[in-house]
Each structure stands twice: as C-alpha cells, then as structure tokens.
C-alpha cells in the first residue's frame, strides 16, 4: 500500500461499488482479513456481508461503507470523502431553484404587473435527472395483517380442537338405534 488509495466516484451506485472493489484490491486483504481489520477499527463487517456488498450494483448502507473503508486502512479525510460520495449518490444531485421571472411593466399601466402561472415560463428540470421513484407503501401494515390472520387461524383451530363449537348434549345409544 505504498500508493494512494483510489478516490471514490460519485456518479452512480454501480460506479461507487466498482470503486469499493478497487479499494479492496488496493488494500490486498481477503474478506476474512477485512472482517478482522474492521473489528480492530471498532466496526462490524462480516466477511459474507462484504462479499455480498461488492457483488451487487446497489449502494451499500453508510455504516457498511464506513466499516469497509476503515478495514481497508483508509482514515481521516480520505475516509470522509468515501462517506460524502456515498451520501451524494444516495441523496441525488442538489436541486436547483427556479430563477425568478422579471415581468416588464408597461408605461401606461396603473397597477403593478403580476406574474401569473400562464404568463410565467414553467420551470424545466435538467434532462440528466431521473424522475423520483414512486413512494411505496410501508411494509408494516402488511406484516401486521399477516400476523393477525395467523393468530386468528391458530385461535380458531385450537377452539375447534378443544370442542368449543360442539353441542353439549350427549348422544345416548338406544337399543332401537343399534338394530339393523
């Protein structure tokens, strides 16, 4: 490790993970040694998690990036650069504010000119940004519903097995009912 560590790309998740792979190659450590080095640095990074993280194209969680970078031997401002690049990718590029529109005032106007939505140009987003992902429903209500259905099924099954739903009258055998 006599050369400087690779710099973190901040373009997209796939490039960031590729940069993490280059950082692992730069460190020269195996996944097991990365696990031990992370533990020595005060982080938790199981070797299987590190291997999974580098095998995907998704952006890893911030605490995994911090543990991985520390395990590779990167400290200080260089480690902060990796975390900042990850945050920039996760949050997206900073949104630019629309520029206020100046509306010329006619000389003979008695009232001040007001920009209306029809007269003001619409704000056009840069073409290099992708639309925001649609919000998904939280998973908690689904799991609550599944847990409630399982509980109700278990209770009904137990009540049926114990005979709660049967009549309390006993059936008596008569001699006439036994004859054929």
């Amino acid at each position: 490790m006599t050369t400087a560590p690779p710099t973190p790309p901040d373009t997209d998740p796939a490039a960031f993970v590729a940069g993490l792979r280059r950082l692992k190659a730069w460190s020269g450590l195996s996944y097991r040694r990365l696990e031990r080095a992370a533990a020595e640095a005060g982080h938790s990074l199981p070797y299987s998690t590190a291997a999974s993280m580098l095998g995907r194209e998704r952006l890893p969680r911030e605490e995994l990036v911090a543990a991985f970078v520390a395990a590779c031997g990167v400290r200080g401002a260089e480690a902060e650069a990796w975390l900042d690049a990850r945050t920039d990718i996760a949050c997206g590029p900073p949104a630019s504010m629309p520029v206020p529109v100046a509306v010329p005032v006619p000389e003979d106007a008695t009232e001040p000119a007001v920009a209306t939505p029809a007269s003001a140009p619409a704000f056009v987003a840069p073409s290099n940004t992708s639309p925001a992902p649609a919000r998904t429903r939280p998973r908690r209500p689904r799991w609550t519903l599944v847990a409630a259905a399982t509980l109700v099924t278990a209770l009904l099954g137990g009540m049926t097995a114990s005979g709660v739903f049967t009549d309390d009258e006993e059936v008596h055998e008569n001699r006439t009912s036994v004859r054929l």
Side-chain angles (χ1 to χ4, degrees), residues 12-69:
D12 63 287
F16 186 80
V17 173
L20 289 174
R21 287 187 205 110
R22 285 191 301 276
L23 184 63
K24 180 189 177 294
W26 172 81
S27 72
L29 299 175
S30 67
Y31 289 115
R32 296 277 183 175
R33 288 190 180 179
L34 283 172
E35 180 179 21
R36 286 187 218 115
E40 290 171 2
H43 296 281
S44 174
L45 181 68
Y47 72 92
S48 59
T49 303
S52 296
M53 176 179 72
L54 296 182
R56 296 182 180 159
E57 299 299 317
R58 289 189 334 213
L59 192 63
R61 294 189 322 254
E62 186 172 2
E63 60 268 13
L64 291 178
V65 173
F68 185 81
V69 169

Side-chain angles (χ1 to χ4, degrees), residues 124-142:
V124 178
S127 62
N128 62 352
T129 61
S130 60
R135 287 191 65 182
T136 58
R137 288 182 25 198
R139 293 182 179 251
R140 186 174 310 255
R142 273 190 246 158

